[in-house]
């Protein structure tokens, strides 16, 4: 009797949690088709705001810039985070291990204001040193795409390192040890065995990095310059003047794109997991058959 009550309680809590998370998103999607300029008053069904958004050059250019920064910074963060996570998970002890782990995790616990300010000061100092030493124009270090890319890569790398390190810690090392016993080199073991096994974690880390980059405002505010406003900055600047129905449309599009990507990634990872389990079962059956033939 007690178990039934607990089961009902857990179901209610699960439903309440999902409702708390997704009902606001559903309302937002519904009001993206609102005919009224007042986003809180329903005035009928229309797709007018979708057409206006597609003609809004400011929002489209900001969205394109944010997307480019998110993808490039996430790819760089995945590469660096994978190396850092592998070093922390596989190389148990080395000089400076504690310091390295703390420095990698620092951007996660550091306030974004401190991270953005420190990155800005560092970039300005490097720019001054290069100009003094080389005497060349270093306009590529001016605040804009590249500086935002550096800041977002630093932020995303910390989170991706934790994801990759956790996956490597849970990974069974028997396959890697068997490959080493058979004479495989460490680099080949990493690309042939380790990398495919941590591929789901890498994909998850990449999606997490894209989300963090698209969502960041504080660090971007320090590192952006004229003509390099990202989408969150444009949204916040418009909200100060009042809610715009086009923001509902923009959010709806992002929900659709992100939801589609998540479903596709989950589908691909589930297929890979099923295929891997099938191959392992087939190998086990082949091994059992060979043993039976030898015993016969």
């Amino acid at each position: 009797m007690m178990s039934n009550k607990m089961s009902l309680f857990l179901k209610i809590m699960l439903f309440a949690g999902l409702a708390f998370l997704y009902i606001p998103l559903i309302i937002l999607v519904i009001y993206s088709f609102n005919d009224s300029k007042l986003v809180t008053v329903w005035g009928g069904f229309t797709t007018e705001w979708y057409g206006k958004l597609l003609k809004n050059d400011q929002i489209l250019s900001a969205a394109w810039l944010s997307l480019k920064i998110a993808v490039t910074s996430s790819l760089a963060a995945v590469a660096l985070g994978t190396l850092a996570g592998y070093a922390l998970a596989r190389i148990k002890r080395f000089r400076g291990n504690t310091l390295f782990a703390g420095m990698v995790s620092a951007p996660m616990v550091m306030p974004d204001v401190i991270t953005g300010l420190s990155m800005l000061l560092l970039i300005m100092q490097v720019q001054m040193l290069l100009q003094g030493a080389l005497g060349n124009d270093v306009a590529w270090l001016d605040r804009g795409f590249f500086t935002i890319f550096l800041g977002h890569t630093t932020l995303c790398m910390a989170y991706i390192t934790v994801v990759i390190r956790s996956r490597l810690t849970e990974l069974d090392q028997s396959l890697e040890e068997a490959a080493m016993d058979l004479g495989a080199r460490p680099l080949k073991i990493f690309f042939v065995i380790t990398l495919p096994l941590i591929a789901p974690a890498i994909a998850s880390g990449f999606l997490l990095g894209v989300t963090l980059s698209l969502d960041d405002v504080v660090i971007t505010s320090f590192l952006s310059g004229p003509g390099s406003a990202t989408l969150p900055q444009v949204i916040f600047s418009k909200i100060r003047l009042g809610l715009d129905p086009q923001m509902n449309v923009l959010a709806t599009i992002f929900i659709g794109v992100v939801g589609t990507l998540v479903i596709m990634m989950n589908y691909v990872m589930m297929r890979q997991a099923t295929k891997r389990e099938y191959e392992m079962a087939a190998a086990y059956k082949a091994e059992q058959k060979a043993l039976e033939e030898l015993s016969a």
Side-chain angles (χ1 to χ4, degrees):
M1 190 66 179
M2 187 65 179
S3 62
N4 291 335
K5 289 184 179 180
M6 289 299 296
S7 178
L8 179 62
F9 175 76
L10 291 176
K11 290 179 180 179
I12 293 174
M13 289 298 100
L14 176 62
F15 177 78
L18 293 176
F20 178 79
L21 290 174
Y22 290 106
I23 285 179
L25 298 180
I26 295 173
I27 294 175
L28 186 146
V29 172
I30 293 174
Y31 272 87
S32 68
F33 298 98
N34 186 13
D35 191 27
S36 174
K37 291 184 178 180
L38 301 175
V39 295
T40 57
V41 178
W42 181 256
F45 181 87
T46 184
T47 58
E48 175 187 359
W49 303 114
Y50 283 84
K52 288 186 176 181
L53 179 67
L54 295 176
K55 296 178 182 179
N56 193 324
D57 294 333
Q58 182 186 16
I59 292 179
L60 292 179
S61 60
W64 177 239
L65 176 63
S66 295
L67 186 61
K68 288 192 295 183
I69 293 173
V71 173
T72 53
S73 61
S74 297
L75 288 174
V78 163
L80 296 175
T82 301
L83 295 176
Y86 186 85
L88 291 172
R90 288 292 183 263
I91 307 174
K92 300 298 182 181
R93 294 182 180 179
F94 57 90
R95 182 174 296 179
N97 182 21
T98 305
L99 178 62
F100 178 70
M103 292 179 65
V104 168
S105 303
M108 289 193 301
V109 297
M110 194 75 68
D112 288 347
V113 175
I114 304 300
T115 303
L117 180 60
S118 60
M119 289 290 297
L120 176 60
L121 294 176
L122 174 63
I123 290 171
M124 292 177 62
Q125 290 296 323
V126 171
Q127 190 175 24
M128 292 175 59
L129 289 174
L130 290 178
Q131 286 179 342
L134 303 177
N136 297 329
D137 184 19
V138 286
W140 52 275
L141 269 178
D142 291 338
R143 287 188 294 173
F145 176 88
F146 184 68
T147 55
I148 300 174
F149 162 80
L150 293 178
H152 287 194
T153 301
T154 303
L155 176 65
C156 297
M157 175 191 168
Y159 290 89
I160 294 174
T161 300
V162 173
V163 175
I164 301 298
R165 182 183 182 183
S166 301
R167 175 57 180 160
L168 285 168
T169 303
E170 298 173 356
L171 195 66
D172 185 9
Q173 300 185 36
S174 59
L175 292 175
E176 298 176 355
E177 293 172 354
M180 292 178 64
D181 293 338
L182 293 174
R185 295 183 178 180
L187 192 62
K188 185 174 183 180
I189 293 173
F190 177 78
F191 283 104
V192 176
I193 297 176
T194 308
L195 193 60
L197 291 175
I198 64 173
I202 292 176
S204 301
F206 174 77
L207 292 177
L208 177 61
V210 171
T211 303
L212 290 172
S213 178
L214 290 175
D215 188 56
D216 183 76
V217 178
V218 179
I219 296 176
T220 306
S221 299
F222 282 97
L223 301 178
S224 63
S228 60
T230 60
L231 186 60
Q233 290 179 299
V234 173
I235 292 175
F236 272 91
S237 65
K238 288 184 174 295
I239 287 177
R240 292 176 182 176
L241 304 176
L243 295 175
D244 189 345
Q246 294 184 47
M247 298 301 101
N248 292 343
V249 174
L250 184 64
T252 300
I253 293 174
F254 267 95
I255 291 172
V257 172
V258 172
T260 303
L261 288 175
V262 169
I263 292 173
M264 290 176 59
M265 291 298 296
N266 286 335
Y267 176 75
V268 171
M269 287 189 291
M270 288 178 64
R271 285 197 61 182
Q272 289 179 348
T274 304
K275 182 180 178 181
R276 189 159 51 247
E277 291 176 359
Y278 176 79
E279 291 176 349
M280 292 177 64
Y284 178 77
K285 290 181 180 179
E287 182 181 359
Q288 292 296 321
K289 185 178 180 180
L291 292 174
E292 291 175 359
E293 292 178 353
L294 289 174
S295 62

